[in-house]
Amino acid sequence: MQASKAYEANFDGLVGPTHNYAGLSFGNVASRSNEKSVANPKAAAKQGLRKMKRLADLGFQQGVLPPLERPSIRLLRDVGFSGDDASVIARAAREAPELLAAASSASAMWTANAATVSPSADTEDGRVHFTPANLAAKLHRAIEHGETRRSLGAIFADEARFRIHHALPGTPALGDEGAANHTRFAREYGDKGVEFFVYGKSEYGQGPQPQRYPARQTLEASRAVARLHGLSSDATVFAQQSPDVIDAGVFHNDVIAVGNRTTLFCHERAFVDQHKVYDELRTKLDALGTPFTALEVPESEVSVEDAVSSYLFNSQLLSSADGRQLLIVPQECRENARVAAYLDSLASRKTPIDEVLVFDLRESMKNGGGPACLRLRVVLDEAERAAVNTRVWMNDALFTQLDAWIDRHYRDRLAPADLADPKLLAESRAALDELTTILGLGAVYDFQR
């Protein structure tokens, strides 16, 4: 039976005022290669905002997620710095600049890591489930999940329709990186689907592991999220990411694969036992009467290194109202000759991808985040959409407000050394205080010292 009409909404993270290049993410090639360079928070925020507006103008359901409070004075106090806020920042800058950098990171802009989301069509209790990611592998990200949960609670407040879990315990055995390692397949968004969880290693099981860079997502975490969300075993597939691509800089699955409805777009080296993965997806989807297509890009045309440098797969694959599939890619895909040639060939190959749209996200890309990193996908039926905080939906008025808000509050230059400036905390708090009014977020920020 056809389910009620549903939509895939994309909730993009607004880039925060402390956007900088501290090189905090070992395993993320772009992040480390641009370490200590000068960032432009204003340009970063506007690039992300313009992506949101363009997709909303094209008819897609587009929402906004707020930045978190940064620098995190709470973190700095928790590790022993005391005094007034200015003293805390000054002492951290002098004694432990790496901790100040972690406390100041704007990494919550990559909301693909904010949570894993399962729609009501898949869950046992018929609610949309969110599990904020613990992001236990990196200090600057491990401090996010409590604040993320508050933000989600301010937007998805109706407990009859939404269930927002606490993050998994923050241990490496349950390392969870959120929707960057999760996608979902279904004929229509409102139909029951198959949820696809990709992990880098099993903490307690056997199997290959990367040798150069860490695997951040564990099988144990993925299975825990599936249990929390009340997902059935016949509608879940767990696949291991190839260790060699993790060692090549593919720190999340969304750097090597992206899915939408009945299509998986991925590199031929994305998974361990790749064709067995396809077979399991195809079998479980077939039981739901849903077709499945794997569009696999061969190494001979686009190498893993090309994929990492261009972020071909860190793209958004979207279905428009007329059923056409659009691939949203960063400008870097056009600057890599092999990737550009592949994209230009899609029409002649008669693939499920009908159109490619290119976006300038240079500031985010330099820190290792493309279009897919910037958004959290949330499937909503019409009643659930109506229950979402209405102030966060992108439209002409909200775009105008946020564009002017960025102009008022954001710097156009921020070097790592500038994190020691106590004025940055005051600027950030003033910006976020105003944002709560614009987005109707209530007391989502506590500004606790």
Side-chain angles (χ1 to χ4, degrees):
M1 183 175 68
Q2 175 66 39
S4 62
K5 177 68 174 176
Y7 315 87
E8 181 186 77
N10 287 276
F11 287 82
D12 281 36
L14 275 171
V15 178
T18 62
H19 166 70
N20 73 96
Y21 300 130
L24 297 173
S25 191
F26 180 67
N28 181 329
V29 174
S31 172
R32 295 305 289 268
S33 63
N34 289 296
E35 183 177 0
K36 308 304 183 188
S37 62
V38 176
N40 186 329
K42 181 178 290 186
K46 285 180 175 269
Q47 287 167 6
L49 182 62
R50 276 154 177 72
K51 178 174 88 76
M52 292 186 240
K53 180 59 163 58
R54 186 174 176 194
L55 292 181
D57 288 345
L58 289 171
F60 295 103
Q61 306 292 312
Q62 180 66 59
V64 178
L65 288 177
L68 304 184
E69 183 189 354
R70 295 294 180 268
S72 173
I73 299 299
R74 182 186 298 277
L75 170 63
L76 297 177
R77 292 190 184 281
D78 284 347
V79 296
F81 297 109
S82 60
D84 61 24
D85 293 344
S87 298
V88 166
I89 291 172
R91 186 177 169 195
R94 185 171 62 251
E95 298 179 17
E98 68 282 357
L99 294 180
L100 177 59
S104 303
S105 174
S107 54
M109 62 195 270
W110 296 302
T111 56
N113 304 117
T116 302
V117 186
S118 295
S120 56
D122 296 354
T123 62
E124 188 175 33
D125 67 1
R127 290 187 287 177
V128 182
H129 282 243
F130 300 78
T131 295
N134 62 28
L135 299 165
K138 305 292 178 185
L139 172 60
H140 67 289
R141 305 226 62 183
I143 63 175
E144 292 178 8
H145 60 83
E147 296 167 271
T148 296
R149 188 171 186 270
R150 286 205 304 272
S151 294
L152 293 173
I155 295 170
F156 304 98
D158 185 347
E159 294 183 3
R161 301 187 185 279
F162 307 117
R163 173 75 188 277
I164 303 174
H165 299 274
H166 290 279
L168 299 177
T171 170
L174 293 172
D176 177 26
E177 302 277 316
N181 294 310
H182 171 266
T183 192
R184 176 181 184 265
F185 300 99
R187 183 184 290 273
E188 301 291 342
Y189 291 123
D191 293 342
K192 182 175 176 59
V194 171
E195 300 201 20
F196 183 45
F197 294 83
V198 179
Y199 62 94
K201 69 173 184 177
S202 172
E203 182 74 8
Y204 301 112
Q206 301 297 314
Q209 296 196 17
Q211 301 301 307
R212 182 183 183 191
Y213 294 135
R216 303 185 189 181
Q217 182 85 25
T218 67
L219 172 61
E220 291 78 9
S222 295
R223 290 196 181 280
V225 171
R227 284 192 296 270
L228 286 171
H229 292 194
L231 305 180
S232 61
S233 60
D234 61 351
T236 51
V237 172
F238 300 89
Q240 184 175 5
Q241 192 174 357
S242 293
D244 62 328
V245 303
I246 294 177
D247 282 338
V250 181
F251 55 100
H252 291 138
N253 178 61
D254 67 1
V255 181
I256 203 71
V258 61
N260 175 56
R261 289 177 60 182
T262 63
T263 302
L264 173 63
F265 178 49
C266 65
H267 195 274
E268 71 169 342
R269 293 172 55 195
F271 312 111
V272 173
D273 295 327
Q274 189 140 322
H275 286 279
K276 289 184 180 179
V277 173
Y278 297 160
D279 289 344
E280 185 177 0
L281 285 167
R282 189 172 287 110
T283 297
K284 291 186 173 181
L285 285 163
D286 184 63
L288 298 174
T290 300
F292 173 72
T293 299
L295 176 55
E296 185 181 276
V297 179
E299 174 80 13
S300 60
E301 294 189 55
V302 176
S303 68
V304 170
E305 291 72 20
D306 288 326
V308 171
S309 66
S310 68
Y311 268 30
L312 168 62
F313 298 101
N314 195 248
S315 51
Q316 292 177 255
L317 191 56
L318 306 175
S319 291
S320 60
D322 61 6
R324 300 170 72 249
Q325 282 202 114
L326 278 64
L327 187 70
I328 309 301
V329 301
Q331 179 64 38
E332 284 77 0
C333 284
R334 282 292 168 203
E335 296 168 2
N336 181 302
R338 284 157 59 90
V339 172
Y342 179 82
L343 290 174
D344 288 340
S345 75
L346 285 173
S348 63
R349 295 172 191 255
K350 298 182 180 178
T351 71
I353 298 173
D354 298 295
E355 185 178 357
V356 177
L357 296 180
V358 181
F359 285 79
D360 176 8
L361 299 167
R362 191 80 68 187
E363 286 287 319
S364 177
M365 286 288 291
K366 286 178 66 177
N367 241 346
C373 286
L374 288 163
R375 62 91 176 93
L376 181 68
R377 294 181 288 182
V378 184
V379 170
L380 301 166
D381 66 26
E382 291 174 322
E384 291 157 354
R385 188 193 186 287
V388 172
N389 177 345
T390 59
R391 304 272 285 277
V392 303
W393 292 114
M394 180 55 61
N395 53 40
D396 290 346
L398 181 58
F399 173 82
T400 299
Q401 282 184 291
L402 291 177
D403 196 46
W405 170 79
I406 292 167
D407 283 332
R408 284 193 296 275
H409 294 288
Y410 280 56
R411 299 186 183 189
D412 58 14
R413 184 186 190 281
L414 194 67
D418 296 327
L419 301 179
D421 181 1
K423 293 179 182 177
L424 186 62
L425 174 64
E427 293 168 11
S428 178
R429 285 178 171 169
L432 298 183
D433 188 54
E434 183 180 343
L435 185 65
T436 60
T437 301
I438 294 173
L439 297 181
L441 298 176
V444 71
Y445 300 112
D446 60 16
F447 298 136
Q448 288 191 15
R449 278 63 170 171

Coordinates of all heavy atoms in Angstrom, one line a residue, residues 27 29 198-201 207-215 240-253 255-256 267-274 299 302-308:
G27 N 43.3 12.1 9.4 CA 42.6 11.2 8.5 C 41.8 12.0 7.4 O 41.4 11.4 6.4
V29 N 42.2 14.5 4.7 CA 43.4 15.0 4.0 C 43.3 16.6 3.8 O 44.3 17.3 4.0 CB 43.5 14.3 2.6 CG1 44.6 15.0 1.8 CG2 43.8 12.9 2.8
V198 N 27.2 1.9 7.2 CA 28.6 1.6 6.8 C 29.5 1.8 8.0 O 29.4 2.9 8.6 CB 29.0 2.4 5.6 CG1 30.4 2.0 5.2 CG2 28.0 2.1 4.4
Y199 N 30.3 0.9 8.3 CA 31.3 1.0 9.4 C 32.7 0.8 9.0 O 32.9 0.2 7.9 CB 30.9 0.0 10.5 CG 31.0 -1.5 10.1 CD1 32.2 -2.2 10.3 CD2 29.9 -2.1 9.5 CE1 32.3 -3.5 9.9 CE2 30.0 -3.4 9.1 CZ 31.2 -4.1 9.3 OH 31.3 -5.4 8.9
G200 N 33.6 1.3 9.7 CA 35.0 1.2 9.4 C 35.7 -0.1 10.0 O 36.7 -0.6 9.4
K201 N 35.2 -0.5 11.2 CA 35.8 -1.7 11.8 C 34.8 -2.2 12.8 O 33.9 -1.5 13.2 CB 37.1 -1.3 12.5 CG 36.9 -0.4 13.7 CD 38.2 -0.2 14.5 CE 38.0 0.6 15.8 NZ 39.2 0.7 16.6
G207 N 38.3 -9.1 11.2 CA 38.2 -8.4 9.9 C 39.3 -7.5 9.6 O 40.0 -7.1 10.6
P208 N 39.4 -7.0 8.4 CA 40.5 -6.1 8.1 C 40.3 -4.7 8.7 O 39.1 -4.3 8.9 CB 40.4 -6.0 6.5 CG 39.0 -6.3 6.2 CD 38.6 -7.3 7.2
Q209 N 41.4 -4.0 9.0 CA 41.3 -2.7 9.5 C 42.3 -1.8 8.8 O 43.3 -2.3 8.4 CB 41.6 -2.7 11.0 CG 40.6 -3.4 11.9 CD 40.7 -3.1 13.3 OE1 41.3 -2.1 13.7 NE2 40.0 -3.9 14.2
P210 N 42.0 -0.5 8.7 CA 43.0 0.4 8.1 C 44.3 0.5 9.0 O 44.2 0.3 10.2 CB 42.3 1.8 8.1 CG 41.2 1.7 9.2 CD 40.8 0.2 9.2
Q211 N 45.4 0.8 8.3 CA 46.7 0.9 9.0 C 47.2 2.3 9.2 O 48.0 2.6 10.1 CB 47.7 0.0 8.2 CG 47.3 -1.4 8.1 CD 47.1 -2.1 9.4 OE1 48.0 -2.1 10.3 NE2 45.9 -2.7 9.6
R212 N 46.8 3.2 8.3 CA 47.3 4.5 8.3 C 46.5 5.5 9.1 O 47.0 6.3 9.9 CB 47.5 5.0 6.9 CG 48.1 6.4 6.8 CD 48.2 6.9 5.3 NE 48.9 8.2 5.2 CZ 48.9 8.9 4.1 NH1 48.3 8.4 3.0 NH2 49.5 10.0 4.0
Y213 N 45.2 5.5 8.8 CA 44.2 6.4 9.5 C 43.2 5.6 10.3 O 42.9 4.5 10.0 CB 43.5 7.2 8.4 CG 44.4 8.2 7.7 CD1 44.3 8.3 6.3 CD2 45.3 9.0 8.3 CE1 45.1 9.2 5.6 CE2 46.1 9.9 7.6 CZ 46.0 10.0 6.2 OH 46.8 10.9 5.5
P214 N 42.6 6.2 11.3 CA 41.7 5.5 12.1 C 40.3 5.3 11.5 O 39.9 6.1 10.7 CB 41.5 6.4 13.4 CG 41.8 7.8 12.9 CD 42.9 7.6 11.8
A215 N 39.7 4.2 11.8 CA 38.3 3.9 11.4 C 37.4 4.5 12.5 O 37.5 4.1 13.7 CB 38.0 2.4 11.3
Q240 N 31.0 -3.1 5.6 CA 32.3 -2.5 6.0 C 32.9 -1.7 4.9 O 33.0 -2.1 3.7 CB 33.2 -3.6 6.4 CG 34.5 -3.0 7.0 CD 35.5 -4.0 7.6 OE1 35.2 -5.2 7.5 NE2 36.6 -3.6 8.2
Q241 N 33.4 -0.5 5.3 CA 34.1 0.3 4.3 C 35.5 -0.3 4.1 O 36.1 -0.9 5.0 CB 34.3 1.7 5.0 CG 34.8 2.8 4.0 CD 34.8 4.1 4.7 OE1 34.3 4.3 5.9 NE2 35.2 5.2 4.1
S242 N 35.9 -0.2 2.9 CA 37.3 -0.8 2.5 C 38.4 -0.1 3.3 O 38.5 1.1 3.3 CB 37.5 -0.6 1.0 OG 36.7 -1.4 0.3
P243 N 39.1 -0.8 4.1 CA 40.2 -0.2 4.9 C 41.2 0.6 4.0 O 41.7 1.6 4.5 CB 40.9 -1.4 5.5 CG 39.9 -2.5 5.6 CD 39.1 -2.3 4.3
D244 N 41.5 0.1 2.8 CA 42.5 0.8 2.0 C 42.0 2.2 1.6 O 42.8 3.1 1.4 CB 42.9 0.0 0.8 CG 41.8 -0.3 -0.2 OD1 40.6 -0.5 0.3 OD2 42.0 -0.4 -1.4
V245 N 40.7 2.4 1.4 CA 40.2 3.7 1.0 C 40.2 4.6 2.3 O 40.4 5.8 2.1 CB 38.8 3.7 0.3 CG1 38.9 2.9 -0.9 CG2 37.7 3.3 1.2
I246 N 40.0 4.1 3.5 CA 40.1 4.9 4.7 C 41.6 5.4 4.7 O 41.8 6.6 5.0 CB 39.8 4.1 5.9 CG1 38.3 3.7 5.9 CG2 40.1 4.9 7.2 CD1 37.8 2.9 7.1
D247 N 42.5 4.5 4.4 CA 43.9 4.9 4.5 C 44.3 5.9 3.4 O 45.3 6.6 3.4 CB 44.8 3.7 4.4 CG 44.9 2.9 5.7 OD1 44.7 3.5 6.7 OD2 45.2 1.7 5.7
A248 N 43.4 6.0 2.4 CA 43.6 7.0 1.3 C 42.9 8.3 1.6 O 43.0 9.3 0.8 CB 43.1 6.5 0.0
G249 N 42.3 8.5 2.8 CA 41.7 9.7 3.2 C 40.2 9.7 3.2 O 39.5 10.8 3.3
V250 N 39.5 8.5 3.0 CA 38.1 8.4 3.0 C 37.6 8.2 4.4 O 37.4 7.1 4.8 CB 37.6 7.3 2.1 CG1 36.1 7.2 2.0 CG2 38.1 7.5 0.6
F251 N 37.6 9.2 5.2 CA 37.3 9.1 6.6 C 35.9 8.8 7.0 O 35.6 8.4 8.1 CB 37.8 10.4 7.4 CG 37.2 11.6 6.9 CD1 36.2 12.2 7.5 CD2 37.7 12.3 5.7 CE1 35.6 13.4 7.1 CE2 37.1 13.4 5.2 CZ 36.1 14.0 5.9
H252 N 34.9 9.1 6.1 CA 33.5 8.7 6.2 C 33.1 8.1 4.9 O 33.6 8.4 3.8 CB 32.7 10.0 6.5 CG 32.9 10.6 7.9 ND1 32.9 11.9 8.1 CD2 33.0 10.0 9.1 CE1 33.1 12.2 9.4 NE2 33.2 11.0 10.0
N253 N 32.0 7.3 5.0 CA 31.5 6.7 3.8 C 31.0 7.7 2.8 O 31.1 7.5 1.6 CB 30.3 5.7 4.2 CG 29.7 5.1 3.0 OD1 30.3 4.4 2.2 ND2 28.4 5.4 2.8
V255 N 32.4 10.1 1.7 CA 33.4 10.6 0.8 C 33.6 9.6 -0.4 O 34.3 9.9 -1.3 CB 34.8 10.8 1.6 CG1 35.9 11.3 0.7 CG2 34.5 11.8 2.7
I256 N 33.0 8.4 -0.3 CA 33.2 7.4 -1.4 C 31.9 6.9 -1.9 O 31.8 6.1 -2.8 CB 34.1 6.3 -0.8 CG1 34.8 5.5 -1.9 CG2 33.3 5.4 0.1 CD1 35.9 6.3 -2.6
H267 N 32.1 4.5 -5.6 CA 33.3 4.0 -6.2 C 33.4 2.5 -6.1 O 32.9 1.9 -5.2 CB 34.5 4.7 -5.5 CG 35.8 4.6 -6.3 ND1 36.6 3.5 -6.3 CD2 36.4 5.4 -7.2 CE1 37.7 3.7 -7.0 NE2 37.5 4.9 -7.6
E268 N 34.1 1.9 -7.1 CA 34.2 0.4 -7.1 C 35.0 -0.1 -5.9 O 34.9 -1.3 -5.6 CB 34.8 -0.1 -8.4 CG 36.3 0.2 -8.6 CD 36.9 -0.5 -9.8 OE1 36.3 -1.5 -10.3 OE2 38.0 -0.1 -10.2
R269 N 35.7 0.7 -5.2 CA 36.5 0.3 -4.1 C 35.9 0.7 -2.7 O 36.6 0.7 -1.7 CB 38.0 0.8 -4.2 CG 38.7 0.2 -5.3 CD 40.1 0.9 -5.5 NE 40.9 0.9 -4.3 CZ 41.9 1.7 -4.1 NH1 42.3 2.5 -5.1 NH2 42.6 1.6 -3.0
A270 N 34.6 1.0 -2.7 CA 34.0 1.6 -1.5 C 33.9 0.6 -0.4 O 34.1 1.0 0.8 CB 32.6 2.1 -1.9
F271 N 33.6 -0.7 -0.6 CA 33.2 -1.6 0.4 C 34.0 -2.9 0.4 O 34.4 -3.3 -0.7 CB 31.7 -1.9 0.4 CG 30.8 -0.7 0.2 CD1 30.1 -0.5 -1.0 CD2 30.7 0.2 1.2 CE1 29.3 0.6 -1.1 CE2 29.9 1.3 1.1 CZ 29.2 1.5 -0.1
V272 N 34.1 -3.5 1.5 CA 34.6 -4.9 1.6 C 33.5 -5.8 1.0 O 32.3 -5.6 1.2 CB 34.9 -5.3 3.0 CG1 35.2 -6.8 3.1 CG2 36.0 -4.5 3.6
D273 N 33.9 -6.8 0.1 CA 33.0 -7.7 -0.5 C 31.8 -6.9 -1.2 O 30.6 -7.1 -0.9 CB 32.4 -8.7 0.5 CG 33.4 -9.6 1.0 OD1 34.4 -10.0 0.3 OD2 33.4 -10.0 2.2
Q274 N 32.2 -6.0 -2.1 CA 31.3 -5.0 -2.6 C 30.0 -5.6 -3.3 O 28.9 -5.2 -3.0 CB 32.0 -4.1 -3.6 CG 31.2 -2.9 -4.0 CD 32.0 -1.6 -4.1 OE1 32.9 -1.4 -3.2 NE2 31.7 -0.8 -5.1
E299 N 37.8 2.5 -10.9 CA 39.1 3.1 -10.6 C 39.8 3.6 -11.9 O 40.5 4.6 -11.9 CB 40.0 2.1 -9.9 CG 41.4 2.5 -9.6 CD 41.5 3.4 -8.4 OE1 40.6 3.5 -7.7 OE2 42.6 4.0 -8.3
V302 N 38.0 7.2 -12.5 CA 38.2 8.1 -11.4 C 38.9 7.3 -10.3 O 38.3 6.4 -9.7 CB 36.9 8.7 -10.9 CG1 37.1 9.6 -9.7 CG2 36.2 9.5 -12.0
S303 N 40.1 7.7 -9.9 CA 40.8 7.0 -8.9 C 40.3 7.4 -7.5 O 39.6 8.4 -7.4 CB 42.3 7.3 -8.9 OG 42.5 8.7 -8.6
V304 N 40.6 6.6 -6.5 CA 40.2 7.0 -5.1 C 40.8 8.4 -4.8 O 40.1 9.2 -4.2 CB 40.6 6.0 -4.1 CG1 40.4 6.5 -2.7 CG2 39.8 4.7 -4.3
E305 N 42.0 8.6 -5.2 CA 42.7 9.9 -4.9 C 41.9 11.0 -5.6 O 41.8 12.1 -5.0 CB 44.1 9.9 -5.4 CG 45.0 8.9 -4.6 CD 44.8 7.5 -4.8 OE1 44.2 7.1 -5.8 OE2 45.2 6.7 -3.9
D306 N 41.4 10.8 -6.8 CA 40.6 11.8 -7.5 C 39.3 12.1 -6.7 O 38.9 13.2 -6.6 CB 40.3 11.4 -8.9 CG 41.4 11.4 -9.9 OD1 42.3 12.3 -9.8 OD2 41.5 10.6 -10.8
A307 N 38.7 11.0 -6.3 CA 37.5 11.1 -5.5 C 37.7 11.9 -4.2 O 36.8 12.8 -3.9 CB 36.9 9.8 -5.2
V308 N 38.8 11.7 -3.6 CA 39.1 12.4 -2.3 C 39.4 13.9 -2.6 O 38.9 14.8 -1.9 CB 40.2 11.7 -1.5 CG1 40.7 12.6 -0.4 CG2 39.8 10.3 -1.1

